[in-house]
Amino acid sequence: MLDDLKLINDRDKEDALGVAQKQWQQLSYRFDADISFTNIENVVVSGMGGSALPAVFLRSWPELNVPLEIVRDYDIPKYVNQKTLFISCSYSGNTEETLTALSKAETKQAKIVIVSAGGKLSDLAKAKDYPLYIIPSGIQPRMSSFYFLAAYCQILEACQLIDNDSTNKLRATAEWLKDQHNDLLQTVPTSTNPAKKLALELAGKSVVIYSGPKLFP
């Protein structure tokens, strides 16, 4: 079954395997955006669902030199002010909670950055000249996590809130992932494919995964 490419293609209508094989490209993606904020005392990332998920990575790596809070709601922290870096993120760009939180951050004169694949959020960024990090569209938001992580790192590094070698580390990890995936492709037979062997071992079992903070090989 795992070596039946026709069956795999029939079941994988949205090409999830193809997206997974290209995850390394997301980590090395270079955004065409310019940002130069200074005097930042805290960071707030506002988003929902798959758009907020990548911000959780920031709690483990890279280490910020200011406090970070993730907001998944209409409201924002009371401490938000002109020294807050407010990153508003929504893959669709039309998430109601995120748009509402952004309007509240504007009233607090926060330093605003937009991360989105389009929609109203991108339109607002262009209309108000906010720094805009455009996520490539066409895949599920949860499959875009590494695009968001790359954007966050480029934003935070530009604002001197993380180690200035962080984006280079992401790109080095991307190259490592690129080298690893050749042995895991669906075209590689089960007899020599570690991923397929693991899938067979896990079939019919409940899987619990423990993960530590180490991101890089």
Side-chain angles (χ1 to χ4, degrees):
M1 175 180 176
L2 295 180
D3 293 331
D4 187 339
L5 297 183
K6 183 179 183 305
L7 178 62
I8 291 173
N9 291 332
D10 288 342
R11 298 284 180 86
D12 188 15
K13 298 296 185 182
E14 296 187 7
D15 192 30
L17 281 173
V19 173
Q21 291 163 14
K22 297 174 183 176
Q23 288 287 293
W24 66 271
Q25 295 178 2
Q26 296 187 21
L27 287 177
S28 59
Y29 191 82
R30 296 176 185 269
F31 291 88
D32 183 18
D34 186 29
I35 182 173
S36 58
F37 291 139
T38 58
N39 197 29
I40 295 170
E41 293 185 351
N42 52 74
V43 176
V44 173
V45 179
S46 171
M48 299 290 292
S51 299
L53 174 64
V56 178
F57 301 160
L58 300 177
R59 291 175 173 168
S60 298
W61 182 94
E63 185 176 353
L64 277 72
N65 55 31
V66 296
L68 164 73
E69 184 166 350
I70 302 169
V71 173
R72 299 179 177 90
D73 203 344
Y74 294 93
D75 295 322
I76 62 175
K78 292 182 178 179
Y79 61 76
V80 171
N81 59 25
Q82 67 274 17
K83 294 184 179 180
T84 298
L85 176 63
F86 192 89
I87 305 175
S88 183
C89 57
S90 168
Y91 185 87
S92 70
N94 299 316
T95 307
E96 181 179 301
E97 293 91 338
T98 305
L99 290 167
T100 302
L102 172 61
S103 67
K104 293 181 179 180
E106 290 175 326
T107 65
K108 296 293 191 72
Q109 299 182 324
K111 296 175 172 65
I112 293 170
V113 182
I114 305 296
V115 183
S116 179
K120 295 178 182 178
L121 204 57
S122 292
D123 291 342
L124 280 171
K126 294 171 184 176
K128 299 185 177 183
D129 200 27
Y130 293 143
L132 174 59
Y133 289 70
I134 302 175
I135 301 291
S137 61
I139 57 178
Q140 293 294 325
R142 284 174 175 77
M143 294 180 177
S144 303
S145 292
F146 284 169
Y147 278 132
F148 280 95
L149 180 59
Y152 294 153
C153 285
Q154 290 176 42
I155 292 166
L156 296 172
E157 190 170 303
C159 295
Q160 300 181 357
L161 298 176
I162 58 175
D163 183 84
N164 60 13
D165 197 39
S166 297
T167 55
N168 287 335
K169 289 179 179 178
L170 275 187
R171 291 175 185 132
T173 299
E175 290 301 313
W176 180 82
L177 286 175
K178 180 182 177 182
D179 291 339
Q180 298 301 308
H181 89 287
N182 289 329
D183 294 331
L184 310 175
L185 298 175
Q186 64 265 40
T187 53
V188 178
T190 302
S191 59
T192 57
N193 190 318
K196 291 182 179 180
K197 289 181 179 180
L198 180 61
L200 291 175
E201 289 180 21
L202 297 179
K205 300 176 182 177
S206 298
V207 180
V208 178
I209 298 176
Y210 290 90
S211 177
K214 184 174 175 58
L215 178 66
F216 299 103

